[in-house]
Amino acid sequence: VQLQASGGGLVQAGGSLRLSCAASKRTFSLGYMAWFRQPPGKDREFVAHIRKSGGIPNYADSVKGRFTISRDNGKNMMFLQMNSLKPEDTAVYYCSADSRSRLILSSARDAGMYDSWGQGTQVTVSS
């Protein structure tokens, strides 16, 4: 499945952005979907994931309470609402999907377990 992320940009600390991820395949057929990010000079890190339907989304501690992940299977979309942004949230954000619905909860934070990736969208938060 092809994924395309969008919505990044430059925002001041305390501001908000909403990232979108469009999928070329019906998202109801996908397993977990997730957002990861790669800050400058650092490794890619987990941000949030959401199951195919229902369930409780899972967040990295660094974004819990500020970010909200959601998916609209009717529109083949996934979103990441980011509020109260901080300079340390500056990164390239990637959306990902488990196209074969093979992931389980214990491995859903592992970037290596996802087989589909978007191209990334830059988020820059100024202080």
Side-chain angles (χ1 to χ4, degrees):
V1 59
Q2 293 182 330
L3 304 174
Q4 183 165 1
S6 62
L10 173 63
V11 64
Q12 289 187 333
S16 298
L17 282 175
R18 189 191 194 208
L19 304 185
S20 298
C21 178
S24 62
K25 181 179 178 180
R26 293 186 175 184
T27 54
F28 73 77
S29 67
L30 303 174
Y32 280 91
M33 296 185 73
W35 290 95
F36 289 82
R37 67 186 182 186
Q38 187 163 13
K42 296 184 179 181
D43 293 333
R44 193 171 298 190
E45 62 186 31
F46 167 76
V47 175
H49 68 59
I50 187 167
R51 289 175 56 183
K52 178 186 301 189
S53 60
I56 301 174
N58 192 265
Y59 299 93
D61 288 344
S62 59
V63 307
K64 200 173 295 183
R66 300 186 298 121
F67 290 11
T68 302
I69 188 173
S70 61
R71 62 195 282 177
D72 185 339
N73 291 334
K75 296 181 178 179
N76 302 331
M77 298 286 292
M78 178 177 67
F79 306 98
L80 185 69
Q81 178 66 42
M82 305 186 296
N83 299 329
S84 302
L85 283 162
K86 305 175 181 180
E88 51 264 43
D89 294 319
T90 295
V92 177
Y93 283 71
Y94 298 89
C95 59
S96 61
D98 166 30
S99 67
R100 301 179 183 180
S101 299
R102 296 189 297 184
L103 282 182
I104 58 175
L105 179 60
S106 60
S107 58
R109 289 186 169 216
D110 184 349
M113 301 301 291
Y114 289 84
D115 58 4
S116 299
W117 290 87
Q119 83 287 4
T121 184
Q122 176 70 48
V123 172
T124 303
V125 184
S126 63
S127 57

Coordinates of all heavy atoms in Angstrom, one line a residue, residues 57-95:
P57 N -5.7 3.9 21.4 CA -4.5 4.3 20.7 C -3.3 4.3 21.8 O -3.6 4.4 23.0 CB -4.7 5.7 20.2 CG -6.2 5.8 20.1 CD -6.8 4.9 21.2
N58 N -2.1 4.2 21.3 CA -1.0 4.1 22.1 C 0.0 5.2 21.7 O 0.2 5.5 20.6 CB -0.3 2.7 22.0 CG 0.8 2.5 23.0 OD1 1.9 2.7 22.8 ND2 0.3 2.0 24.1
Y59 N 0.6 5.9 22.8 CA 1.4 7.1 22.5 C 2.7 6.9 23.2 O 2.8 6.3 24.3 CB 0.7 8.3 23.0 CG -0.6 8.6 22.3 CD1 -1.8 8.2 22.9 CD2 -0.7 9.3 21.2 CE1 -3.0 8.5 22.3 CE2 -1.9 9.6 20.5 CZ -3.0 9.2 21.1 OH -4.2 9.4 20.5
A60 N 3.7 7.6 22.6 CA 5.0 7.7 23.3 C 4.8 8.7 24.5 O 3.9 9.6 24.4 CB 6.0 8.3 22.4
D61 N 5.5 8.5 25.6 CA 5.3 9.3 26.7 C 5.6 10.8 26.4 O 4.9 11.7 27.0 CB 6.3 8.9 27.8 CG 5.9 7.5 28.5 OD1 4.7 7.1 28.3 OD2 6.7 6.9 29.1
S62 N 6.4 11.0 25.5 CA 6.8 12.4 25.2 C 5.7 13.2 24.5 O 5.7 14.4 24.5 CB 8.0 12.5 24.3 OG 7.8 11.7 23.1
V63 N 4.7 12.5 24.0 CA 3.6 13.2 23.3 C 2.2 13.0 23.9 O 1.2 13.6 23.5 CB 3.5 12.8 21.8 CG1 4.9 13.0 21.1 CG2 3.0 11.4 21.6
K64 N 2.2 12.1 24.9 CA 0.9 11.8 25.5 C 0.3 13.0 26.1 O 0.9 13.8 26.8 CB 1.2 10.7 26.6 CG 0.0 9.9 27.1 CD 0.4 8.8 28.0 CE 1.2 7.8 27.4 NZ 1.6 6.7 28.3
G65 N -1.0 13.1 25.9 CA -1.8 14.3 26.3 C -1.7 15.5 25.4 O -2.5 16.5 25.6
R66 N -0.8 15.5 24.4 CA -0.7 16.6 23.5 C -1.1 16.2 22.1 O -1.6 17.0 21.3 CB 0.7 17.1 23.5 CG 1.2 17.6 24.8 CD 2.6 18.3 24.7 NE 3.6 17.4 24.3 CZ 4.3 17.5 23.2 NH1 4.2 18.6 22.4 NH2 5.3 16.7 22.9
F67 N -0.8 14.9 21.7 CA -1.1 14.4 20.3 C -2.2 13.5 20.4 O -2.4 12.7 21.4 CB 0.1 13.7 19.8 CG 1.3 14.6 19.5 CD1 1.4 15.9 19.8 CD2 2.4 14.0 18.7 CE1 2.5 16.7 19.5 CE2 3.5 14.8 18.4 CZ 3.6 16.1 18.8
T68 N -3.0 13.4 19.3 CA -4.1 12.5 19.1 C -4.0 11.9 17.8 O -4.1 12.6 16.7 CB -5.5 13.2 19.3 OG1 -5.5 13.8 20.6 CG2 -6.6 12.2 19.2
I69 N -4.0 10.5 17.7 CA -4.0 9.8 16.5 C -5.4 9.3 16.2 O -6.2 9.0 17.1 CB -3.0 8.6 16.5 CG1 -2.9 7.9 15.2 CG2 -3.4 7.6 17.6 CD1 -1.8 6.9 15.1
S70 N -5.8 9.3 14.9 CA -7.1 8.8 14.6 C -7.0 8.3 13.1 O -6.1 8.6 12.4 CB -8.2 9.9 14.7 OG -7.9 11.0 13.8
R71 N -8.0 7.5 12.8 CA -8.1 7.1 11.4 C -9.5 7.1 10.9 O -10.5 6.8 11.7 CB -7.4 5.7 11.2 CG -8.1 4.6 12.0 CD -7.2 3.3 12.1 NE -7.2 2.5 10.9 CZ -6.4 1.4 10.7 NH1 -5.6 1.1 11.7 NH2 -6.5 0.8 9.6
D72 N -9.7 7.3 9.7 CA -11.1 7.3 9.0 C -11.0 6.3 7.9 O -10.6 6.6 6.8 CB -11.4 8.7 8.5 CG -12.8 8.8 7.9 OD1 -13.4 7.8 7.6 OD2 -13.3 10.0 7.8
N73 N -11.5 5.1 8.2 CA -11.4 4.0 7.3 C -12.3 4.3 6.1 O -12.1 3.7 5.0 CB -11.8 2.7 7.9 CG -10.7 2.2 8.9 OD1 -9.5 2.6 8.8 ND2 -11.1 1.5 9.9
G74 N -13.3 5.1 6.2 CA -14.2 5.4 5.1 C -13.5 6.3 4.1 O -13.9 6.2 2.9
K75 N -12.5 7.1 4.5 CA -11.8 8.0 3.6 C -10.4 7.5 3.4 O -9.6 8.2 2.7 CB -11.8 9.4 4.2 CG -13.2 10.0 4.3 CD -13.1 11.4 4.8 CE -14.5 12.1 4.9 NZ -14.5 13.4 5.4
N76 N -10.0 6.3 3.9 CA -8.7 5.8 3.8 C -7.6 6.8 4.3 O -6.6 7.0 3.6 CB -8.4 5.4 2.3 CG -9.4 4.4 1.8 OD1 -9.9 3.6 2.5 ND2 -9.7 4.5 0.5
M77 N -7.9 7.3 5.4 CA -7.0 8.4 6.0 C -6.6 8.1 7.4 O -7.4 7.4 8.1 CB -7.7 9.7 5.9 CG -8.1 10.2 4.6 SD -6.6 10.8 3.6 CE -6.1 12.3 4.6
M78 N -5.5 8.6 7.8 CA -5.0 8.6 9.2 C -4.6 10.0 9.5 O -4.1 10.7 8.6 CB -3.9 7.6 9.5 CG -3.4 7.6 10.9 SD -2.1 6.3 11.2 CE -0.8 6.9 10.2
F79 N -4.7 10.4 10.8 CA -4.4 11.8 11.2 C -3.6 11.8 12.5 O -3.6 10.8 13.2 CB -5.7 12.6 11.4 CG -6.6 12.5 10.2 CD1 -7.7 11.7 10.2 CD2 -6.4 13.4 9.1 CE1 -8.6 11.6 9.1 CE2 -7.3 13.4 8.1 CZ -8.3 12.5 8.0
L80 N -2.9 12.9 12.6 CA -2.2 13.1 13.9 C -2.4 14.6 14.3 O -1.9 15.5 13.6 CB -0.7 12.8 13.8 CG 0.1 12.9 15.1 CD1 -0.4 11.8 16.1 CD2 1.6 12.9 14.9
Q81 N -3.3 14.8 15.2 CA -3.5 16.1 15.7 C -2.4 16.4 16.8 O -2.3 15.7 17.8 CB -4.9 16.3 16.3 CG -5.2 17.6 16.9 CD -5.2 18.7 15.9 OE1 -5.8 18.6 14.8 NE2 -4.6 19.9 16.2
M82 N -1.6 17.5 16.6 CA -0.5 17.8 17.5 C -0.8 19.2 18.1 O -0.9 20.2 17.4 CB 0.8 17.8 16.7 CG 1.1 16.5 16.0 SD 2.7 16.5 15.2 CE 2.5 17.8 14.0
N83 N -1.0 19.2 19.4 CA -1.2 20.5 20.1 C -0.1 20.7 21.1 O 0.7 19.8 21.4 CB -2.6 20.3 20.9 CG -3.8 20.1 20.0 OD1 -3.8 20.6 18.9 ND2 -4.7 19.4 20.5
S84 N 0.0 21.9 21.5 CA 1.0 22.3 22.5 C 2.4 21.9 22.1 O 3.2 21.3 22.8 CB 0.7 21.7 23.9 OG -0.6 22.2 24.3
L85 N 2.7 22.2 20.8 CA 3.9 21.8 20.2 C 5.1 22.4 20.9 O 5.1 23.6 21.4 CB 4.0 22.1 18.7 CG 3.1 21.1 17.9 CD1 2.8 21.7 16.5 CD2 3.9 19.8 17.8
K86 N 6.2 21.6 21.0 CA 7.4 22.1 21.6 C 8.6 22.0 20.6 O 8.5 21.2 19.6 CB 7.8 21.2 22.8 CG 6.7 21.0 23.8 CD 7.1 20.0 24.9 CE 6.0 19.8 25.9 NZ 6.4 18.8 27.0
P87 N 9.6 22.8 20.8 CA 10.8 22.7 19.9 C 11.3 21.3 19.7 O 11.8 20.9 18.6 CB 11.8 23.6 20.5 CG 11.0 24.6 21.3 CD 9.8 23.9 21.8
E88 N 11.3 20.5 20.8 CA 11.8 19.1 20.7 C 10.9 18.2 19.8 O 11.2 17.0 19.6 CB 12.0 18.5 22.1 CG 10.8 18.6 23.0 CD 10.9 19.8 23.9 OE1 11.3 20.9 23.5 OE2 10.5 19.7 25.1
D89 N 9.7 18.7 19.4 CA 8.9 17.9 18.5 C 9.3 18.1 17.0 O 8.8 17.4 16.1 CB 7.4 18.4 18.6 CG 6.8 18.1 19.9 OD1 7.0 17.0 20.4 OD2 6.0 18.9 20.4
T90 N 10.3 19.0 16.8 CA 10.8 19.2 15.5 C 11.4 17.9 14.9 O 12.3 17.3 15.5 CB 11.9 20.3 15.5 OG1 11.3 21.5 15.8 CG2 12.6 20.4 14.1
A91 N 10.9 17.5 13.7 CA 11.3 16.2 13.2 C 10.7 16.0 11.8 O 9.7 16.8 11.5 CB 10.9 15.0 14.1
V92 N 11.1 15.0 11.1 CA 10.4 14.6 9.9 C 9.4 13.5 10.4 O 9.9 12.5 11.1 CB 11.3 14.0 8.8 CG1 10.5 13.5 7.7 CG2 12.3 15.1 8.4
Y93 N 8.2 13.6 10.1 CA 7.1 12.7 10.6 C 6.7 11.8 9.5 O 6.5 12.2 8.3 CB 5.9 13.5 11.1 CG 6.1 14.1 12.5 CD1 7.0 15.2 12.6 CD2 5.5 13.5 13.6 CE1 7.2 15.7 13.9 CE2 5.7 14.1 14.9 CZ 6.6 15.2 15.0 OH 6.8 15.7 16.2
Y94 N 6.7 10.5 9.8 CA 6.4 9.5 8.8 C 5.1 8.7 9.2 O 5.0 8.3 10.4 CB 7.5 8.5 8.7 CG 8.8 9.0 8.2 CD1 9.7 9.5 9.1 CD2 9.1 9.0 6.8 CE1 10.9 10.1 8.6 CE2 10.3 9.6 6.4 CZ 11.2 10.1 7.3 OH 12.4 10.6 6.8
C95 N 4.2 8.4 8.3 CA 3.1 7.5 8.6 C 3.5 6.1 8.1 O 4.3 6.0 7.1 CB 1.8 8.0 8.0 SG 1.8 8.2 6.2

